[in-house]
Amino acid sequence: PNMLRLLALLALFACMTHAVDIEGVKTTYIVEKEGSGPTVAKGSKVTVHATGKVKESGKQFWSTRDVGQKPFTYDAGVGRVIKGWDQGCLGMQVGEVRVLDIPSDEGYGKRGFPAWGIPPDGGLLFEIEVLSVDGKTEL
């Protein structure tokens, strides 16, 4: 089922002419579900559900939805997470779900992240759902 979902996401990226480019980066995204709450901006404290997969293999390396995991909180737009994630989540609203297509050089680069099974120069697909922005879940 996970491989089928990955293939479906890759096919969606390949077929969609409206994958969104982000100014100044190579990362692109598609919106799977629109949001309506507060917006992620530089310096916001953001809590998300996230699932990361290696683009080339479809191997899931992390998910906040896995048993024993919890939502992830970070400071947006200030370089505390990988560049593709940091820039790809700006402008999201609470409730929004995006799939980020992050090239290697905006992810873990030439070294990869061997402990998580991310190979050198591995591209990443992250499905991100914004749960709250600065502690707010709605306007």
Side-chain angles (χ1 to χ4, degrees):
N2 281 339
M3 185 54 94
L4 290 176
R5 182 167 168 78
L6 172 71
L7 291 173
L9 287 173
L10 288 173
L12 189 58
F13 266 113
C15 295
M16 292 186 67
T17 56
H18 60 282
V20 179
D21 292 326
I22 304 165
E23 188 175 338
V25 294
K26 299 174 196 167
T27 294
T28 60
Y29 68 86
I30 58 168
V31 175
E32 285 194 329
K33 179 182 167 212
E34 296 287 338
S36 61
T39 301
V40 176
K42 184 176 180 178
S44 298
K45 185 169 287 301
V46 184
T47 300
V48 300
H49 267 309
T51 299
K53 295 182 181 183
V54 176
K55 184 175 179 179
E56 293 78 9
S57 69
K59 181 182 183 295
Q60 179 179 306
F61 56 85
W62 178 63
S63 180
T64 60
R65 296 179 186 275
D66 287 348
V67 175
Q69 296 291 311
K70 59 184 181 181
F72 178 71
T73 300
Y74 73 102
D75 296 318
V78 296
R80 297 214 173 130
V81 293
I82 58 173
K83 184 176 185 176
W85 173 318
D86 214 17
Q87 297 304 303
C89 290
L90 293 175
M92 288 183 76
Q93 292 182 287
V94 170
E96 185 173 336
V97 178
R98 283 186 187 177
V99 175
L100 306 178
D101 185 350
I102 303 173
S104 170
D105 61 338
E106 293 177 359
Y108 294 103
K110 293 191 182 306
R111 292 186 192 172
F113 199 128
W116 282 6
I118 300 170
D121 296 316
L124 308 172
L125 292 174
F126 268 103
E127 181 180 80
I128 309 284
E129 177 184 5
V130 175
L131 302 175
S132 69
V133 176
D134 294 325
K136 297 181 182 91
T137 58
E138 55 189 57
L139 291 174

